[in-house]
Amino acid sequence: MIRIEHRTLGDVHILDIEGRITIGEGTLHFREAVHRVIQQGGRNVLLNLAGVTHMDSSGIGELVSAYTAVGNRGGRLKLLHVPPRVREVLTITKLATVFEAFDDEAAAVESFR
Amino acid sequence: MREERAPETYSISLSVASGFEFVELAETVTATLARLTGFDEETAMWISMAVREAVINAIKHGNKEDRQKRVEIQYAFNHDGLSICVRDQGSGFDLSQVPNPLDPENLLKPTGRGIFYMKAFMDEVDIWSSPGGGTTVRLRKRIRPRSP
Ligand SMILES: Nc1ncnc2c1ncn2[C@@H]1O[C@H](COP(=O)(O)OP(=O)(O)O)[C@@H](O)[C@H]1O
Ligand SMILES: [Mg+2]
């Protein structure tokens, strides 16, 4: 189960993600949500991972793909409220330093300015 | 006075067709058995995620989603820990050819982190694979990790 909601604060597109970013439904919906934002012209993308409960190796791959896809269009993708379980997988895969991550939404939004 | 008995080992096996709809079943069974072994909720979750990775590989890379081919999952657990064997009927692979996902040139690749993920969350991951002979992945987790 995954639930994604899209909201904007100025030109920052925030995706509030809840549930599992795991192979199948999870990675599929996640990819679609990110591409919808890109198609709408979104370049500043903030993923709020507060509600993410599980992330498997495909989920990590999808996160990396999203990062690359946004970057390739001259945009930036950052993370907000990374829960311990996600932090753990990002750390072991050495991706923790690749992603810019915030615990404060206002600070995250401001960082795109 | 402590009673000294040989630790009882329980064995359970599961056999599924090569369809991704059975991954969740494997995850649920694994989490249940991990809790029964004595692991806490969080550890049980990581064990079940590691087993998922092995099962997904068996279905995808091993059996190539051929539903005539089966994935066998065998569990053995006692008071020491839990051991899980995931076996497919695929054509095998050469583990030495699998790129290291931590190499800088692989860091931003979208795939190739499954085996690494299993190793990160289990105490032991052994893989036997032979051309034409399928692949067996054995994952083990001890209740108390052996001190280094
Ligand atoms: N059961 C299997 N049968 C055949 N090849 C496998 C099996 N498991 C893994 N592999 C090979 O090892 C590679 C790495 O697997 P993994 O680390 O899970 O990453 P990914 O599944 O994302 O490719 C796979 O791409 C595949 O070539
Ligand atoms: Mg895999």
Side-chain angles (χ1 to χ4, degrees):
Chain A
M1 257 290 281
I2 184 165
R3 239 184 64 167
I4 305 178
E5 277 177 25
H6 178 201
R7 60 193 164 95
T8 51
L9 273 179
D11 62 355
V12 179
H13 292 253
I14 304 174
L15 293 176
D16 297 302
I17 307 171
E18 268 175 38
R20 307 170 57 117
I21 310 184
T22 53
I23 194 168
E25 191 205 15
T27 50
L28 206 71
H29 286 196
F30 174 75
R31 188 184 318 163
E32 283 169 2
V34 171
H35 282 270
R36 224 174 291 128
V37 168
I38 292 173
Q39 265 150 30
Q40 289 171 19
R43 293 296 175 265
N44 298 327
V45 184
L46 184 60
L47 303 178
N48 175 10
L49 303 179
V52 173
T53 56
H54 298 72
M55 184 144 81
D56 63 6
S57 73
S58 301
I60 307 166
E62 215 51 59
L63 206 60
V64 170
S65 296
Y67 176 83
T68 313
V70 173
N72 284 344
R73 286 161 181 83
R76 282 171 299 170
L77 180 141
K78 305 183 183 190
L79 308 180
L80 176 64
H81 300 315
V82 181
R85 286 179 178 180
V86 176
R87 196 174 298 276
E88 175 107 18
V89 289
L90 291 181
T91 303
I92 61 157
T93 52
K94 288 200 176 163
L95 290 166
T97 52
V98 169
F99 291 96
E100 204 177 336
F102 297 84
D103 288 315
D104 179 76
E105 185 174 302
V109 169
E110 193 52 39
S111 77
F112 286 103
R113 303 279 161 254
Chain B
M1 199 174 73
R2 269 186 72 225
E3 215 180 312
E4 290 294 340
R5 279 190 289 158
E8 197 166 352
T9 297
Y10 297 94
S11 301
I12 289 174
S13 43
L14 194 67
S15 170
V16 298
S18 300
F20 289 113
E21 68 269 37
F22 299 115
V23 170
E24 198 183 320
L25 177 71
E27 178 181 348
T28 308
V29 170
T30 305
T32 302
L33 294 182
R35 283 191 293 263
L36 214 54
T37 305
F39 292 104
D40 60 66
E41 198 60 41
E42 199 62 15
T43 310
M45 188 279 301
W46 289 116
I47 295 172
S48 64
M49 292 298 281
V51 170
R52 265 178 64 101
E53 295 285 347
V55 172
I56 288 164
N57 280 356
I59 295 171
K60 188 177 176 177
H61 306 300
N63 292 347
K64 304 205 185 305
E65 295 180 62
D66 175 352
R67 301 180 73 87
Q68 302 304 312
K69 293 184 175 168
R70 303 194 69 84
V71 177
E72 313 277 343
I73 309 162
Q74 292 182 318
Y75 299 89
F77 61 97
N78 56 32
H79 75 310
D80 280 335
L82 172 63
S83 153
I84 309 108
C85 279
V86 178
R87 186 172 295 120
D88 65 51
Q89 301 178 296
S91 43
F93 72 109
D94 183 355
L95 188 59
S96 70
Q97 297 302 306
V98 174
N100 180 355
L102 299 187
D103 282 351
E105 72 266 25
N106 298 329
L107 220 50
L108 293 181
K109 287 207 176 138
T111 59
R113 296 181 182 86
I115 295 170
F116 180 82
Y117 191 108
M118 294 176 218
K119 287 182 173 164
F121 296 111
M122 302 300 287
D123 291 325
E124 282 173 45
V125 177
D126 295 296
I127 300 180
W128 295 274
S129 200
S130 57
T135 297
T136 300
V137 178
R138 186 182 65 193
L139 307 125
R140 295 208 276 195
K141 188 86 173 173
R142 281 178 296 273
I143 290 279
R144 283 175 307 268
R146 207 182 291 149
S147 41

